[in-house]
Amino acid sequence: MIGASTRLFAVLGDPVAHSLSPGIHNPAIEAAGVDAVYVALRCGAAEVSGLMRGLAVGGGGGNVTLPHKEAAAAAVDEPSKLVVRTGACNTFWLEDGRLRGENTDVAGFRGAVSSLLGHTARGLHVLLLGAGGAARAAIVGLTLDGAASVAISNRTESRARQLAAELGDGRARVLPPEDGPGGLRFDLVVNSTALGLQSDDPLPFDPSTSAPPGAVLDLVYRPGETALVRAARAHGIPAADGAEMLVRQGAQAFECWWRRPAPLEAMRRAMEALRREGGAG
Ligand code: NAP
């Protein structure tokens, strides 16, 4: 029951009404038996810093989503190494009176890769589609895991070049978007573009016209599977959408706040229920 000792957690973003985070974190709170509630708060860039500090000082914390992850990175007193490296913070809480920030998208991505492949990206040749915020978490995860090479293809080529130079760790190169992957064969293709969110979007990568990759990880998630996941499986290619990444970034956030293992299975079950109900975004 919500009472005077209940701690308040929130996801801050704009828009945020579509966020699945409350639907994952409230079941996690219940499963873990902690006294807290998790809500979604829409806010502008100017309010992010004050809301983060207020929630944390009040004994709670939360997450930050689009478009405020960079503002959140600037707002924390103690950014983690990954917040500094990616320039983005998606999780915050108070520790020893200081506002701390973490980027749990990186761990979420690495966990999703391992879950799909049965091992990390070590030694793999990877094609990364997209160069936005999700791509930043992905390329940091891939370099930490020791991927052999990362080819980046993005609609706006200059953003791909910037990403490769900033976070590519000397093992990233850029493919001109008009060329596509050509005849190159990759061990893993990661879609971090927004393509696939809408049912009439074109495929970000067509497994029928490219050399078949070893596996496809689509960071997009929507009710049912994404068209890219369906197309990959139809060609016998192991594939997964972004649900596992979302659950795992939430699990690491839970562990930052509560300093105990997250109830991962309860979070996965909640995600599956949200999917069946038609939640997206
Ligand atoms: P973002 O920063 O806005 O980046 C969007 C990316 O998509 C950019 O590379 C953009 O290319 C590309 N793009 C957008 N529309 C396109 C189109 N019509 N054709 C080709 N490329 C297009 O967004 P984000 O935060 O990276 O998120 C991207 C996707 O990842 C979203 O679907 C989001 O839901 C998903 N995501 C999933 C998780 C998870 O936990 N599973 C976490 C984060 C994000 P330009 O540079 O040319 O604009």
Side-chain angles (χ1 to χ4, degrees), residues 55-276:
L55 285 160
V57 168
N63 294 119
V64 181
T65 188
L66 283 177
H68 299 322
K69 290 183 187 181
E70 287 82 8
V76 295
D77 302 324
E78 290 201 25
S80 72
K81 280 185 188 153
L82 286 178
V83 168
V84 173
R85 190 149 162 187
T86 58
C89 167
N90 78 329
T91 301
F92 62 93
W93 70 100
L94 201 76
E95 215 171 287
D96 301 327
R98 313 253 309 151
L99 187 60
R100 296 193 54 170
E102 183 54 276
N103 184 325
T104 70
D105 285 332
V106 176
F109 173 79
R110 296 171 84 185
V113 168
S114 295
S115 169
L116 171 63
L117 303 178
H119 54 78
T120 71
R122 172 163 295 281
L124 300 188
H125 297 281
V126 182
L127 171 61
L128 176 60
L129 306 168
R136 294 179 76 81
I139 197 165
V140 168
L142 290 168
T143 56
L144 285 174
D145 276 343
S149 70
V150 183
I152 308 172
S153 177
N154 190 50
R155 179 178 62 178
T156 309
E157 195 177 334
S158 58
R159 287 188 86 192
R161 293 202 178 286
Q162 194 183 336
L163 183 68
E166 199 184 330
L167 295 173
D169 196 31
R171 63 189 92 177
R173 70 186 197 281
V174 173
L175 300 181
E178 62 278 9
D179 291 1
L184 300 172
R185 190 193 174 278
F186 294 92
D187 300 310
L188 173 67
V189 173
V190 176
N191 175 42
S192 76
T193 76
L195 288 176
L197 273 176
Q198 308 301 327
S199 54
D200 55 354
D201 279 344
L203 287 177
F205 169 86
D206 188 347
S208 68
T209 58
S210 314
V216 170
L217 178 59
D218 193 351
L219 304 191
V220 177
Y221 46 85
R222 48 174 283 116
E225 299 282 16
T226 62
L228 175 59
V229 169
R230 284 197 302 273
R233 289 204 185 124
H235 286 82
I237 301 164
D241 71 5
E244 182 70 10
M245 174 171 168
L246 188 79
V247 166
R248 292 203 185 217
Q249 66 77 24
Q252 198 200 5
F254 185 100
E255 290 170 6
C256 291
W257 303 325
W258 298 102
R259 299 281 151 199
R260 63 162 91 174
L264 197 53
E265 281 314 314
M267 298 175 90
R268 281 203 186 104
R269 279 197 303 275
M271 179 75 204
E272 282 313 309
L274 289 169
R275 233 199 234 285
R276 284 195 299 276

Side-chain angles (χ1 to χ4, degrees), residues 4-36:
S5 58
T6 304
R7 291 161 63 177
L8 180 60
F9 290 77
V11 54
L12 312 177
D14 184 18
V16 81
H18 65 295
S19 172
L20 299 187
S21 290
I24 294 171
H25 279 292
N26 285 309
I29 285 167
E30 196 179 333
V34 293
D35 186 7

